[in-house]
Amino acid sequence: MTKAMEATGSNPFDNGIAQLAKAAKVIDLKPAYFDLFTQPMELMEVSIPVHMDNGKLKIFTGYRAHFNTFMGPAKGGIRYHWNVSRDEVKALAFWMSWKCTVINIPYGGGKGGIIVNPKELSKGELERLSRAYIDKLVDFIGPDRDIPAPDVYTDGQIMAWMLDEFEKLHRGSYPAFITGKPLELGGSAGRGTSTAQGGYYCFETALRELGLANPTLAVQGFGNAGMFIAKICHDHGFKVVAVSDSKGGIHDSNGLNIPEVIAFKEKKGSVVGFGKAKKISNEELLELPVDVLFPCALENQITKANAAKVKAKLIVELANGPTTPEADEILHKKGTVVVPDILANSGGVYVSYLEWVQNRMGFYWTQDYVFDLLKKQINNSFKDIWAVKKEHKIDMRTAAYVYALQKMRKAAELRGY
Ligand code: GLU
């Protein structure tokens, strides 16, 4: 276990397996299928030597995992974080396989990570690290095998270096090898805000289902998912009363002016210190008296230690794995509805899929067209999963796994497993 896992007593991969086990029971899944679906198909660990600016050689450790690639190549982001571990990458790749199935795109699960604090690296060091990671994984990835994308602390620039490295090694043009690219290199319109956009569609539908009017919102995390969901909700007239980032949070019960908070964060590097808002901790944010909570940071935020104190009636998970299985039980008993990560944040990978499709045909769509497709796709999955939830009287996460598990089982069966 890493320090982060020890702190919460929770291993994300064990959590993923526990989530699937609940759904497996509902459909009486054969144990052999359960074993098949919970083992990585491939798991790579690589050492990545990088010449640092001070002339010394530093060796980083990286991973890439593939899960359940019955319906297509592996798909998923690459994370740069000091708490990356083998089990975290396995959990994230495992979740990607269910996420892609939930949102009905022809991919299996993939995820990669490097143990590094990217904030401590110069731009040149970051570039050499990103290129060296691709050098090490070159036989493991590709447009028909495993398609990477951004994740925590990786972005379009890093995707651009990785694309360039891959194309140098293969002596050709392969834009569909990686998604989340800058527009100039074949990125898709709308990809940058698509995780939040998809989360917003889920939030809108859930509000209608629950009959929640004029809700107050709190957003944990202010990166690619958190910042944009706060902005989109604010732009639609919703009251966002609290936001946070890795340095802490801010709260104003009258509502925060999100565009101003974004401008402040861009200048100061954190939301903390903004205007007259009260400073709060990330833990306090989760327990605020709000109607809707958006966890948009990391795993294991809502645990058995704080789940009973969560007051929100609706949780929309834009992070991967923010709620532990024990916390799920507590929330379900209280009647809190959790729109699970594998549906709520699937907008990111869905638009990555549209990027891959556009790259392969060499024809590009407008953002309106992309979001139109996203809205239809995510609303359809939401509706189907909501029906499974009602039919079996189960929580929405288990319903999402039941929905995906049936498809995965069929695909594996057709392949002769
Ligand atoms: N890293 C994102 C996720 O966890 C996006 C993955 C992708 O676009 O492939 O869903």
Side-chain angles (χ1 to χ4, degrees), residues 55-360:
K56 294 205 172 111
L57 192 68
K58 193 165 170 185
I59 319 292
F60 294 88
T61 303
Y63 303 95
R64 186 84 190 162
H66 298 166
F67 269 88
N68 301 322
T69 51
F70 306 108
M71 289 180 263
K75 181 84 192 83
I78 298 169
R79 176 173 295 197
Y80 286 2
H81 197 276
W82 47 99
N83 279 331
V84 161
S85 66
R86 174 190 285 255
D87 270 1
E88 187 192 50
V89 170
K90 275 169 66 183
L92 292 165
F94 173 82
W95 284 322
M96 282 310 301
S97 71
W98 303 106
K99 191 187 299 184
C100 292
T101 312
V102 156
I103 195 68
N104 289 301
I105 54 179
Y107 291 141
K111 197 70 139 209
I114 301 180
I115 306 172
V116 60
N117 182 352
K119 295 176 189 173
E120 288 173 356
L121 265 53
S122 69
K123 195 168 176 195
E125 289 168 341
L126 208 53
E127 175 175 352
R128 293 195 289 282
L129 175 69
S130 304
R131 288 182 183 276
Y133 177 72
I134 295 303
D135 293 345
K136 284 291 179 124
L137 286 174
V138 68
D139 298 321
F140 203 64
I141 49 185
D144 291 308
R145 177 146 161 70
D146 173 3
I147 306 127
D151 196 78
V152 174
Y153 293 144
T154 54
D155 58 13
Q157 173 63 76
I158 292 175
M159 300 306 109
W161 289 323
M162 290 181 167
L163 173 72
D164 188 67
E165 193 63 23
F166 186 85
E167 291 186 337
K168 272 185 187 143
L169 293 167
H170 285 280
R171 304 235 183 276
S173 171
Y174 298 94
F177 143 69
I178 200 162
T179 61
K181 299 179 291 294
L183 284 177
E184 296 77 2
L185 298 181
S188 175
R191 175 63 185 87
T193 54
S194 57
T195 307
Q197 194 64 43
Y200 181 76
Y201 297 139
C202 289
F203 160 70
E204 258 188 334
T205 313
L207 283 189
R208 267 201 306 279
E209 290 290 349
L210 302 179
L212 271 178
N214 302 321
T216 51
L217 325 178
V219 179
Q220 187 199 42
F222 215 63
N224 178 46
M227 181 174 83
F228 289 123
I229 193 69
K231 169 93 173 39
I232 296 169
C233 290
H234 180 269
D235 290 350
H236 280 86
F238 288 100
K239 203 196 231 183
V240 183
V241 299
V243 298
S244 68
D245 58 33
S246 62
K247 299 200 176 78
I250 52 172
H251 178 216
D252 183 343
S253 50
N254 294 318
L256 294 160
N257 182 325
I258 298 298
E260 282 179 16
V261 176
I262 293 173
F264 182 85
K265 163 127 186 157
E266 264 158 22
K267 254 214 299 260
K268 307 272 175 176
S270 173
V271 297
V272 178
F274 173 77
K276 290 201 182 72
K278 188 177 157 219
K279 184 177 186 308
I280 54 169
S281 67
N282 264 291
E283 293 73 33
E284 285 166 333
L285 180 138
L286 299 172
E287 297 170 17
L288 286 175
V290 291
D291 299 305
V292 187
L293 198 56
F294 289 95
C296 305
L298 294 165
E299 303 91 77
N300 298 339
Q301 299 301 302
I302 305 175
T303 67
K304 62 174 186 248
N306 61 359
K309 294 183 228 150
V310 169
K311 295 173 193 71
K313 300 174 195 77
L314 171 66
I315 299 176
V316 184
E317 296 182 331
L318 291 197
N320 290 309
T323 311
T324 66
E326 293 102 333
D328 265 336
E329 294 287 330
I330 298 169
L331 295 169
H332 184 56
K333 275 197 194 115
K334 284 208 301 185
T336 312
V337 169
V338 180
V339 184
D341 46 7
I342 56 173
L343 172 65
N345 72 37
S346 65
V349 74
Y350 180 68
V351 176
S352 273
Y353 165 64
L354 298 184
E355 180 174 334
W356 180 80
V357 169
Q358 292 169 83
N359 292 151
R360 305 198 92 167

